[in-house]
Amino acid sequence: MSASHPHGEFQLIRDYFQQQSLQRTDVPLGIGDDGAVVSVPAGHQLVLVMDTLVAGVHFPVETPAYDLGWKSLAVNLSDLAAMGAEPAWLTLALTLPQGDETWVEEFCRGLFELASAHNVQLIGGDTTRGPLTITVQAHGLVEEGKALLRSGAAVGDLIYISGHPGEAALGLALLQAGQQQHLSFAHLLSRLNRPEPRLHLGRALGGIASACIDVSDGLLADLQHICDVSDVGAELQLHQLPLSADYRAVADSEQPYKAALSGGDDYELLFCVPGQRQAEMERLMEQSECLLTCIGEITEGNNIRCLDANGLEYLPDSLGFNHFVE
Ligand code: ADP
Ligand code: MG
């Protein structure tokens, strides 16, 4: 504990972190000592991911504590999903403006609900005073050499997206526009604050996908990351984008694809599948709990071309996140 901590207050808060009912058998030493001790199974590798959420930057300051607990873990589990890893443990660095016990209790409720649903145990962390900032590190396991990477896409691979991209960005847009009364608001806001990490999908993609990334900065921006490290280009068929009814009810009719292509916070998986794996891919699509849609193909070059239903090229005017709402 550092000298700036008011003891009692922060000790009480630490108590909340010990309340998770889930106890994994591979954690001989969890919260309470100077460090945690975990057992890594033979033949496996650790996959480590970390994401920070800063109040006012990554989420509106009035976001409910429960949602922040959920989301701060969900964005990390989404990275593990994109690596094809099975999550096991997490650590939490929490910076709080004051020792608000009610806030921490709600935060832990959201965090533990998602953690326990995926058999992930909180094994340690750090608590400090300062502007509200949440850093989670999640630790996952993959069989040796089996991690899914961004770098394996090849010309001719088909490009798929899970779920409905763009909904989270439209939820944020409605919130910022003060349109809480909109019929689609509750659904779109839940997509912003309670993303469902696609862990089952990520693990099922091992042996099927040639490259995979989770979409956090926008579909085009994240597809460009695959193109850059795989040294390929891409062609997207915009009329194939899985735009939901709630999405269509809110999106700008003049730029109907913009939020799906450039909006942030989707936490869907974007992945590529070679031709010889299409049969397995079709089987996966029948079994998958989330919608999987083919939206294009990997090409030569290094650019992404977006074509509309008439085969005309569509040029997104920016990768920005604002002004999605009509
Ligand atoms: P130290 O001074 O040795 O770093 P601390 O007093 O900061 O120890 O923490 C005591 C114990 O509480 C440690 O096991 C630490 O991992 C755990 N802990 C502190 N903050 C958190 C947190 N935000 N989440 C989970 N565990 C925490
Ligand atoms: Mg110590």
Side-chain angles (χ1 to χ4, degrees):
M1 189 196 292
S2 69
S4 63
H5 288 171
H7 301 78
E9 195 181 33
F10 275 80
Q11 190 49 54
L12 271 178
I13 283 168
R14 275 194 201 85
D15 292 345
Y16 285 102
F17 300 117
Q18 311 228 35
Q19 301 306 311
Q20 187 179 10
S21 49
L22 176 78
Q23 300 277 324
R24 290 175 59 106
T25 54
D26 54 10
V27 183
L29 189 61
I31 291 174
D33 211 308
D34 291 310
V37 179
V38 297
S39 307
V40 179
H44 287 70
Q45 292 172 311
L46 269 180
V47 180
L48 305 176
V49 302
M50 178 184 277
D51 254 309
T52 294
L53 302 183
V54 178
V57 178
H58 300 101
F59 58 89
V61 282
E62 63 277 9
T63 305
Y66 179 99
D67 290 344
L68 290 174
W70 176 288
K71 185 168 181 174
S72 61
L73 177 59
V75 301
N76 280 277
L77 296 185
S78 177
D79 281 324
L80 287 181
M83 298 299 292
E86 177 180 354
W89 315 293
L90 82 121
T91 47
L92 167 69
L94 193 56
T95 302
L96 298 169
Q98 71 253 335
D100 180 343
E101 264 188 72
T102 318
W103 189 96
V104 174
E105 193 178 354
E106 275 301 287
F107 177 88
C108 282
R109 229 168 43 79
L111 180 80
F112 290 155
E113 176 153 342
L114 183 64
S116 299
H118 292 287
N119 196 28
V120 181
Q121 185 175 338
L122 177 64
I123 57 169
D126 197 18
T127 310
T128 53
R129 184 186 284 277
L132 178 59
T133 305
I134 306 155
T135 299
V136 167
Q137 183 173 54
H139 320 119
L141 298 165
V142 285
E143 275 176 53
E144 204 142 350
K146 294 284 174 64
L148 277 178
L149 308 181
R150 297 177 178 184
S151 53
V155 176
D157 290 358
L158 296 183
I159 303 167
Y160 290 83
I161 182 83
S162 66
H164 295 289
E167 288 190 325
L170 292 180
L172 179 61
L174 284 182
L175 185 68
Q176 288 175 337
Q179 294 189 31
Q180 282 86 343
Q181 79 294 347
H182 196 290
L183 285 177
S184 296
F185 179 70
H187 171 72
L188 295 175
L189 188 72
S190 78
R191 298 278 288 135
L192 177 70
N193 286 343
R194 310 253 184 104
E196 287 285 349
R198 304 300 188 192
L199 286 157
H200 292 296
L201 174 62
R203 290 172 65 202
L205 288 176
I208 297 180
S210 55
C212 184
I213 192 169
D214 76 316
V215 178
S216 51
D217 296 336
L219 196 160
L220 287 181
D222 287 312
L223 177 57
Q224 189 66 53
H225 292 315
I226 287 186
C227 290
D228 289 343
V229 294
S230 298
D231 200 19
V232 293
E235 192 170 276
L236 293 184
Q237 305 295 334
L238 298 185
H239 58 283
Q240 292 178 21
L241 283 171
L243 307 182
S244 68
D246 287 306
Y247 179 103
R248 291 170 195 272
V250 175
D252 181 347
S253 57
E254 306 222 316
Q255 301 192 73
Y257 302 120
K258 185 172 177 179
L261 292 176
S262 308
D265 272 340
D266 284 324
Y267 302 105
E268 296 295 347
L269 295 187
L270 180 69
F271 55 96
C272 304
V273 178
Q276 71 267 25
R277 301 266 165 73
Q278 281 308 316
E280 286 146 278
M281 184 60 210
E282 268 155 41
R283 233 169 294 136
L284 179 62
M285 288 170 84
E286 283 162 20
Q287 296 159 3
S288 175
E289 64 210 19
C290 63
L291 181 68
L292 302 176
T293 310
C294 180
I295 56 170
E297 189 173 330
I298 295 293
T299 61
E300 287 176 3
N302 185 244
N303 295 324
I304 303 172
R305 272 164 48 87
C306 296
L307 302 178
D308 68 15
N310 302 315
L312 297 174
E313 188 159 357
Y314 168 96
L315 294 173
D317 64 347
S318 83
L319 298 180
F321 302 138
N322 296 321
H323 310 302
F324 294 125
V325 184
E326 220 164 346

